[in-house]
Amino acid sequence: MAQLERKLGLWAAVSIVIGSVIGSSIFMKPATMASQLSSPLLLLAVWVVAGVVSLFGSMINAEVGTAIPETGSTPVSLKGALATAVSDTPIATLGGNYGG
């Protein structure tokens, strides 16, 4: 089996995360949320809870990525996890159609 070369360094990874945050319009969300919530403390609590949920999601994704040493990210892990339940069902993702 061919080995993957590690080409993403710290600078590239940080740039990807920053680009994703800016691309998801993170700077426009606080004003909308503040107008819908009654207090600044409640707004802060919502952001903290959302951050913790995001952290758990990224930790789970990292764990699954290290447990399944194949390229393909989410489609490969879903195919491995759900192989018996949906062995003939293709998994549709944003990147295309995998499985089946």
Side-chain angles (χ1 to χ4, degrees), residues 3-21:
Q3 295 288 350
L4 294 177
E5 293 183 35
R6 294 180 183 258
K7 293 201 178 231
L8 285 180
L10 178 63
W11 179 248
V14 169
S15 298
I16 290 169
V17 170
I18 290 173
S20 298
V21 168

Side-chain angles (χ1 to χ4, degrees), residues 3 11-12 14 21 23-24 27 30 34 46 49 53 56 67-68 70-71 76 78 80-81 86-87 95 97-99:
Q3 295 288 350
W11 179 248
V14 169
V21 168
S24 66
F27 299 113
V46 168
V49 168
V53 169
F56 287 160
I68 302 173
E70 293 182 39
T71 59
V76 170
L78 285 177
V86 289
S87 60
N97 196 6
Y98 298 90

Side-chain angles (χ1 to χ4, degrees), residues 72 74-76 78-79 82 86 88-100:
T74 304
V76 170
L78 285 177
K79 187 177 179 184
L82 304 174
V86 289
D88 294 329
T89 306
I91 299 170
T93 64
L94 293 176
N97 196 6
Y98 298 90

